[in-house]
Amino acid sequence: MINSQLPILQVMVPLLAASLCAILPFRRLTWLIALAASLAALAISLNLLVLVLNDGPISYALGDWAAPWGIEYRVDALSAFVLVLVSALGSIIMVFAPTSLAREIDADRVFLFHAMYLLNLAGLLGMAVTGDVFNLFVFLEISSLSSYVMIGLGRDRRALTAAFQYLIMGTVGATFYVIGVGMMYMMTGTLNMADLGTRLPEVAATRTVIAAMAFIVVGLGLKLAIVPLHFWLPNAYAYAPTVVSAFLAATATKVALYALLRIVFTVFGGPAMIGLPVDQILLVLAIVAMFGASAVAIYQTDAKRLLAYSSLAQIGYMVLGISFLSATGLTATIIHLFNHALMKGALFLALGCIYLRLGSVQIEKMAGLGRRMPWTMGAFVVGGLSLIGIPLTVGFISKWYLIQAALERGWWLVAALILLSSLLAVIYVWRVVEVAYFQAPSDDMLQLREAPAVMVVPVWVLAGANVYFGVNPQQTIRAAQSAAAALLGGGG
Amino acid sequence: MSPETAIIAALAVPALGALLIGLAGRVPNLREAITLTTAAALLAIVISLVLAWFDGARPDVTLLEMIPGLSLRFTAEPLGLLFALVASSLWIVNSIYSIGYMRGNAEHNQTRYYIFFALALTSTMGVALAGNMLTLFVFYELLTLSTYPLVAHHGTPKAVRSARTYMGVLMATSIGLLLFGMIWTWQAAGTLTFTPGGVFEGKIYQPLTGILLALFVFGIGKAALMPVHRWLPAAMVAPTPVSALLHAVAVVKAGVFAVVKVIVYIFGVEHLRTVINFDWLSIVAGFTIVAASVVALRQDNLKRRLAYSTVSQLSYVVLAAAILVPISVAGAALHIAAHAVSKITLFFAAGSIYTAAHKTEISQLDGIGKRMPWTMVAFGIGALSIIGLPPTIGFTSKWLILQGAFEAQNSVAIGVIILSTLLNAAYFLPIIYVAFFRSESGEAAPHGEAPWPMVLALTATAGLTVVLFFAPGWPLALAQELAGIVR
Amino acid sequence: MSFPGLINYWAVAALMMIGFYAVIAHGNLVKKVIGLNIFQAAMFIFYISMAKVRGGTAPILDDDLSVFSNPLPHVLILTAIVVGVATTALGLSLIVRIRDAYGSVEDEEIRAIEAASD
């Protein structure tokens, strides 16, 4: 019985918990609520994943209004995969959060942070669970608005301007998306994804549909921070509280990517259906991101900004996978979507530990930190190696599939470029490693202790996941493959 | 112990040793005892594996499926056993030497040093016993990572910079070229398992084979084929036992080992014979041999001269494998062992000179033979072996290679080997000459031999160099088995 | 349909560009938010225009009426308006805090302050 209500509970639990948090001005209590809601969401999503893998996609009619009129929630392999990813990272980050927040946010605002975090979680989960393009917009805005607030909570005043910049660009992106949705509605009279998928091909050649696709890809591209649309991201990640950076880097861009995949493949039936060379455009942008953002990352002096630029480059890899338009390419994208969440989660949380003790994440101030905070830096190194793509970490698996997809298409040059760009990752990761391990600590660092266990353990859970899914990636690969097949199968 | 367990143990024992060393970090004596015990245990395990192999056991262990159809897989075959044997036996000697050196020079961070040394050995065992290219690649990268802290050990700006070169070149080649070649192979042949005779028969467009081979040969940067040899001289900033490990035991040998392995088990010797544009490999290897020898001639720093000598000697192995006849492949395998014992002796000698006399330049060595007779006699033996003169193992391996070159009527190889022998003599004999026959220059402080563990170690390896000439035993037997596989 | 029939859409396009231009070109943060509002208003009109059925009335359930506008876009746009209000409120409150922190709501002045404090 309860099983049939899972899709709606997935969203309702964090949503209700959020409103509860907003009216209860207690730090510890709201934290407990947030943690409990995250864990409940995780349990629900795991349940959904098992159900979907066993019995195929689940459809849920909201308020019992049947699909084309009412809003349909639809969970297939891909969305279940994303749900698990988001709720799992949310739970881990929540365990980590209180100690880190105590240092980075004013104490009287912490309960509001929890409310915002839960709203964001509800928004992200909703985006993954919904089968309705307009409903997706609503959830997109819920998660966006709450993330502007969370970024603005940072103590650095630049966090405010970063949040404002993100608000402007994010709203423009979301509006673009809605305009695209409106155009699709004009041509088909439906907002249901599966319905759109069957009706759009008839009108695919019209200018309206082409324009719709262009609007939607640009709109979601803004949320996803595909390279020329990325200007909000580095500042937002750099000045937000570390917990927020970790959560957004690990989940928000991933869900935006999910939405892009959903729209481009399930709704439009793949770029080939529409007379717009989206794949070629994405290919070029992805390669620019891979090199440009990595090159900029090399010159950063702030470790958080460094990771932010590295995120842009990694988003490039995911987008590259889409541009191959093949099962292997999409598998690579989905695998990397998961893997990158693990890497960046671990790395940002490690920076959270460092900020707690050091009060800064400037690379030059991290001299000798390898000795003072061995566990934290150890996790950072593991995450960094994964980012580079060293075998036995998840990064290697991602790279393997991406290159294989490139070779499958016979794009030798692209394969070579993927490898070349991962060498840039070696440089920026090693800049931190060298400073932390092979430079003498300054005198005021002698008092420095390792971060408390409640922070180190979540960091290592993620770092460990980087290794675990790197040596034992069958589950990820299988889930990604079936998700890719569902996307290409159309509707699925 | 069944051979399967032995393979797992060979990987697990040094890793476990690293853990225990870390735990025992505060008690130096215990820490060193653990290092030595681990080394001895590893050697025993490898010996049991070799014995089992000669008894006909063909162990094959599959651990984890990393990518559908591709697992972490380990097998024992002659070439790998030979490499494992060399590495594990020299680790014992190197550990004894390390204890003397690290204490003699009062180095800092000794625990970190021993931990990463043990981890490097785990990686080496993984490379040696790898059953497919993926496994080899995994441990090849781990070897780079685990030796990085050893190279950067001193932490001085110079050391960090050199370590950066070390890491940069090895990572760039392995990720940029080797990984590419590997995935291409996977795409074309559908397997990465090391198969006698190769995996490509009829599966790849002929002219592309040359390009693919180049990806592998240059991608394996540890083989130090020019122009990817720059990391090797850079890594000279490391403490001497590390240089000995890098140059004689683990890193460079992992490189040439991988090249031979790829030629024999991925491309297949027979298949390569039919490839038309294959000659370039002999030419590049030959050029590296000669050019590196010429550069070595001009170095005054003893360790740098040895480093360039290593670059040159490594290409012997590549050249020998590229001659593509069974006997030369056997020569390649044996040269891995021969060069290992000889070069480690030379490095030990260099380190012992540094510890006792604090001298690093060749021009300072006048008359040192009288103060450090054991060291310099061992140095002489090592040098003879590198030049390829009897009664040393270096002669045996060079003989096999030359024989192969004649059999294949490869005039380039013959010319290169003769020329380089002359060059080797030219850069080693003067050192021996000045050490024994020049009188010491004025202001030298009196000193004797280095601490006894160091002298013991270098005497042992020098002795081994000679003993192997008279009784080549397992190394030769394994090399011949490999030749049997090649045919 | 000829030009007059599409006049709503021309208006939408014009408003959209005006709003978008304001967002990009104005250095004053409040004006940026106003631009954003115009931009969103264009989108609202776009939805409402497409719902219009020629000769139709408001969608009220009554036996006399048979032709009425499509109510769904209206509902959608109600949601979108709510979102727009929330965005505007949030944007303005961020501006208030920016003004507290920097003493200015001009983009360039904030940059100058930032550059000076670095």
Side-chain angles (χ1 to χ4, degrees):
Chain A
M1 177 51 214
I2 186 94
N3 269 357
S4 61
Q5 302 295 332
L6 285 178
I8 187 68
L9 284 175
Q10 182 79 76
V11 184
M12 287 318 284
V13 169
L15 202 57
L16 291 176
S19 19
L20 201 57
C21 283
I23 53 170
L24 290 173
F26 307 107
R27 200 150 44 103
R28 303 298 300 180
L29 181 63
T30 51
W31 175 68
L32 279 178
I33 295 173
L35 183 63
S38 308
L39 289 173
L42 177 60
I44 294 169
S45 62
L46 283 172
N47 244 319
L48 279 173
L49 183 66
V50 172
L51 283 177
V52 166
L53 288 182
N54 288 342
D55 312 330
I58 299 170
S59 174
Y60 177 87
L62 206 63
D64 257 347
W65 292 87
W69 297 281
I71 293 171
E72 182 196 13
Y73 280 7
R74 193 176 171 81
V75 187
D76 65 4
L78 179 60
S79 37
F81 189 65
V82 173
L83 289 175
V84 171
L85 177 72
V86 171
S87 51
L89 279 155
S91 308
I92 293 171
I93 289 170
M94 263 301 114
V95 175
F96 177 93
T99 330
S100 178
L101 287 177
R103 168 100 196 207
E104 296 186 42
I105 293 184
D106 299 336
D108 56 343
R109 290 197 187 139
V110 170
F111 78 98
L112 287 174
F113 167 83
H114 289 138
M116 285 303 128
Y117 156 78
L118 284 169
L119 264 188
N120 201 331
L121 184 67
L124 295 175
L125 294 173
M127 280 172 78
V129 88
T130 187
D132 182 286
V133 282
F134 194 84
N135 197 228
L136 197 148
F137 159 75
V138 175
F139 283 123
L140 178 74
E141 281 296 43
I142 291 179
S143 72
S144 301
L145 287 168
S146 53
S147 55
Y148 310 145
V149 178
M150 290 201 290
I151 292 166
L153 282 174
R155 280 219 177 114
D156 192 318
R157 62 181 177 179
R158 281 171 292 186
L160 295 171
T161 43
F164 187 78
Q165 194 186 12
Y166 185 19
L167 178 133
I168 296 287
M169 294 190 75
T171 309
V172 169
T175 311
F176 266 50
Y177 173 81
V178 189
I179 294 169
V181 167
M183 290 176 168
M184 290 198 298
Y185 182 70
M186 278 169 88
M187 295 310 291
T188 59
T190 178
L191 291 170
N192 184 287
M193 288 181 187
D195 250 20
L196 279 168
T198 52
R199 289 194 206 175
L200 270 176
E202 298 161 22
V203 290
T206 58
R207 208 183 293 168
T208 315
V209 173
I210 295 174
M213 180 145 181
F215 270 114
I216 289 181
V217 170
V218 172
L220 290 175
L222 264 164
K223 300 303 292 184
L224 177 58
I226 295 180
V227 140
L229 310 171
H230 67 278
F231 291 100
W232 59 271
L233 189 141
N235 280 332
Y237 283 13
Y239 302 123
T242 318
V243 174
V244 177
S245 311
F247 186 67
L248 293 184
T251 59
T253 46
K254 307 297 169 295
V255 177
L257 182 77
Y258 162 83
L260 184 68
L261 285 172
R262 197 42 99 195
I263 300 285
V264 169
F265 288 93
T266 307
V267 173
F268 286 102
M273 296 297 294
I274 312 292
L276 196 66
V278 173
D279 50 329
Q280 292 164 32
I281 296 169
L282 290 182
L283 175 71
V284 174
L285 296 183
I287 290 173
V288 171
M290 280 152 50
F291 283 90
S294 301
V296 177
I298 291 172
Y299 292 101
Q300 298 306 314
T301 53
D302 178 302
K304 251 165 132 184
R305 275 186 94 81
L306 185 152
L307 290 186
Y309 278 105
S310 138
S311 275
L312 292 177
Q314 301 289 323
I315 289 165
Y317 288 125
M318 294 174 225
V319 171
L320 185 68
I322 301 178
S323 73
F324 292 136
L325 296 182
S326 65
T328 321
L330 280 180
T331 308
T333 297
I334 297 163
I335 290 177
H336 197 50
L337 181 151
F338 178 76
N339 291 348
H340 181 244
L342 296 181
M343 301 170 196
K344 276 289 148 61
L347 287 168
F348 270 114
L349 289 191
L351 285 187
C353 295
I354 293 170
Y355 190 90
L356 179 81
R357 289 294 188 232
L358 209 56
S360 163
V361 287
Q362 292 291 312
I363 294 174
E364 57 187 22
K365 292 195 180 149
M366 288 160 70
L369 214 56
R371 274 294 190 77
R372 301 273 150 243
M373 306 177 69
W375 288 101
T376 304
M377 281 316 293
F380 191 91
V381 171
V382 171
L385 292 179
S386 192
L387 207 53
I388 298 170
I390 298 290
L392 300 185
T393 61
V394 288
F396 179 68
I397 309 291
S398 304
K399 229 140 260 178
W400 180 278
Y401 270 88
L402 262 180
I403 293 168
Q404 219 185 325
L407 291 185
E408 229 174 59
R409 290 286 306 255
W411 293 354
W412 300 94
L413 191 63
V414 176
L417 289 176
I418 297 169
L419 291 167
L420 270 182
S421 68
S422 55
L423 293 177
L424 296 176
V426 179
I427 300 176
Y428 60 70
V429 170
W430 231 250
R431 278 191 58 212
V432 180
V433 171
E434 266 181 11
V435 172
Y437 284 93
F438 295 101
Q439 280 189 14
S442 57
D443 294 333
D444 50 337
M445 278 182 58
L446 294 174
Q447 308 302 324
L448 220 62
R449 282 167 300 124
E450 179 59 273
V454 280
M455 292 175 80
V456 173
V457 170
V459 175
W460 268 98
V461 168
L462 285 176
N466 270 296
V467 176
Y468 177 79
F469 289 106
V471 281
N472 206 1
Q474 287 104 325
Q475 295 109 314
T476 347
I477 293 174
R478 208 163 300 142
Q481 275 169 341
S482 61
L487 278 179
L488 285 175
Chain B
M1 190 173 351
S2 79
E4 279 81 11
T5 348
I7 286 184
I8 304 287
L11 296 167
V13 163
L16 192 68
L19 188 69
L20 292 176
I21 292 167
L23 293 176
R26 294 183 193 286
V27 195
N29 285 334
L30 179 61
R31 180 184 69 202
E32 263 94 307
I34 293 172
T35 302
L36 287 175
T37 321
T38 316
L42 181 64
L43 180 60
I45 291 163
V46 173
I47 287 176
S48 83
L49 203 55
V50 174
L51 284 173
W53 194 86
F54 277 117
D55 280 348
R58 295 291 179 269
D60 188 336
V61 183
T62 303
L63 280 188
L64 289 160
E65 191 176 40
M66 275 185 62
I67 287 161
L70 260 186
S71 306
L72 274 191
R73 183 170 164 202
F74 302 94
T75 50
E77 51 78 47
L79 185 60
L81 287 175
L82 178 59
F83 180 38
L85 194 62
V86 169
S88 57
S89 50
L90 291 184
W91 186 29
I92 298 190
V93 190
N94 199 332
S95 302
I96 297 173
Y97 183 86
S98 289
I99 294 168
Y101 183 91
M102 297 305 271
R103 293 189 175 187
N105 288 301
E107 292 276 353
H108 66 130
N109 271 341
Q110 291 196 21
T111 307
R112 180 176 80 191
Y113 170 86
Y114 286 111
I115 290 176
F116 281 100
F117 223 113
L119 288 179
L121 256 289
T122 302
S123 318
T124 310
M125 288 300 129
V127 170
L129 300 173
N132 59 27
M133 197 59 216
L134 178 73
T135 315
L136 197 151
F137 181 77
V138 166
F139 284 95
Y140 179 95
E141 295 291 54
L142 289 183
L143 186 57
T144 309
L145 292 174
S146 57
T147 47
Y148 169 81
L150 298 175
V151 176
H153 184 82
H154 290 307
T156 56
K158 182 163 179 269
V160 171
R161 210 167 43 242
S162 301
R164 203 182 291 161
T165 312
Y166 175 76
M167 180 87 182
V169 173
L170 290 184
M171 278 287 162
T173 50
S174 66
I175 293 182
L177 305 173
L178 181 56
L179 181 60
F180 191 18
M182 191 164 82
I183 299 179
W184 184 356
T185 307
W186 171 245
Q187 197 84 12
T191 176
L192 288 177
T193 309
F194 291 129
T195 319
V199 297
F200 277 123
E201 204 56 69
K203 283 182 181 157
I204 186 167
Y205 178 55
Q206 269 266 356
L208 286 180
T209 318
I211 298 172
L212 186 51
L213 186 71
L215 286 178
F216 274 106
V217 171
F218 290 110
I220 301 171
K222 291 192 173 112
L225 213 57
M226 281 184 180
V228 291
H229 66 286
R230 290 292 301 279
W231 62 271
L232 216 163
M236 285 293 100
V237 292
T240 307
V242 175
S243 304
L245 169 91
L246 295 175
H247 293 247
V249 186
V251 178
V252 294
K253 289 299 142 49
V256 286
F257 167 79
V259 170
V260 176
K261 194 115 179 169
V262 163
I263 289 179
V264 174
Y265 292 102
I266 293 285
F267 286 91
V269 170
E270 214 158 333
H271 176 224
L272 279 180
R273 278 194 212 121
T274 64
V275 173
I276 3 144
N277 56 0
F278 177 68
D279 297 341
W280 64 266
L281 184 56
S282 322
I283 293 166
V284 172
F287 174 79
T288 307
I289 293 176
V290 176
S293 301
V294 173
V295 177
L297 258 180
R298 302 179 46 217
Q299 304 295 326
D300 189 39
N301 182 300
L302 182 56
K303 275 174 83 178
R304 285 187 77 85
R305 185 174 287 191
L306 293 180
Y308 277 102
S309 156
T310 304
V311 173
S312 152
Q313 292 290 316
L314 290 174
S315 281
Y316 267 87
V317 179
V318 178
L319 178 68
I323 292 172
L324 297 180
V325 290
I327 188 144
S328 71
V329 174
L334 192 63
H335 199 66
I336 292 179
H339 178 249
V341 286
S342 329
K343 201 35 95 34
I344 203 171
T345 312
L346 292 170
F347 269 105
F348 282 173
S352 126
I353 293 169
Y354 172 73
T355 310
H358 297 288
K359 287 177 178 167
T360 54
E361 308 302 308
I362 293 163
S363 49
Q364 301 168 329
L365 296 183
D366 291 359
I368 202 161
K370 283 155 206 144
R371 292 196 180 273
M372 308 178 67
W374 288 94
T375 303
M376 289 318 289
V377 167
F379 187 92
I381 294 173
L384 287 186
S385 178
I386 298 286
I387 299 168
L389 295 175
T392 58
I393 180 71
F395 170 76
T396 321
S397 61
K398 224 171 205 179
W399 178 260
L400 290 177
I401 298 172
L402 210 51
Q403 213 177 326
F406 275 110
E407 197 179 305
Q409 295 176 336
N410 189 331
S411 46
V412 176
I414 298 169
V416 164
I417 292 172
I418 292 172
L419 180 59
S420 96
T421 306
L422 294 176
L423 286 169
N424 291 346
Y427 62 72
F428 273 135
L429 294 182
I431 304 177
I432 302 172
Y433 174 78
V434 298
F436 285 105
F437 300 108
R438 280 241 189 107
S439 53
E440 223 170 332
S441 46
E443 80 297 5
H447 63 84
E449 277 287 0
W452 67 264
M454 299 172 72
V455 178
L456 177 69
L458 64 90
T459 315
T461 52
L464 203 57
T465 313
V466 177
V467 169
L468 282 175
F469 172 74
F470 293 105
W474 279 348
L476 187 62
L478 287 168
Q480 280 167 341
E481 290 285 349
L482 180 70
I485 288 173
V486 169
R487 245 186 310 280
Chain C
M1 275 190 280
S2 58
F3 171 74
L6 288 173
I7 191 156
N8 277 15
Y9 296 104
W10 285 103
V12 165
L15 277 177
M16 198 179 278
M17 288 307 113
I18 291 168
F20 202 40
Y21 176 81
V23 170
I24 295 170
H26 277 287
N28 186 305
L29 302 185
V30 180
K31 288 184 181 166
K32 273 185 194 290
V33 173
I34 293 171
L36 206 57
N37 268 305
I38 299 174
F39 184 60
Q40 287 182 312
M43 180 263 286
F44 303 154
I45 298 173
F46 172 65
Y47 266 75
I48 294 165
S49 308
M50 85 169 100
K52 176 70 181 165
V53 175
R54 196 167 294 243
T57 64
I60 300 166
L61 199 60
D62 188 298
D63 291 341
D64 298 345
L65 304 172
S66 57
V67 184
F68 47 82
S69 295
N70 183 350
L72 186 66
H74 297 171
V75 178
L76 297 181
I77 235 52
L78 272 178
T79 319
I81 288 171
V82 172
V83 171
V85 169
T87 311
T88 309
L90 180 57
L92 290 174
S93 57
L94 275 174
I95 292 173
V96 170
R97 289 202 46 206
I98 289 174
R99 195 183 139 78
D100 286 348
Y102 289 92
S104 167
V105 291
E106 289 292 333
D107 205 21
E108 281 177 15
E109 287 178 28
I110 293 170
R111 270 168 218 250
I113 293 168
E114 223 24 272
S117 67
D118 261 349

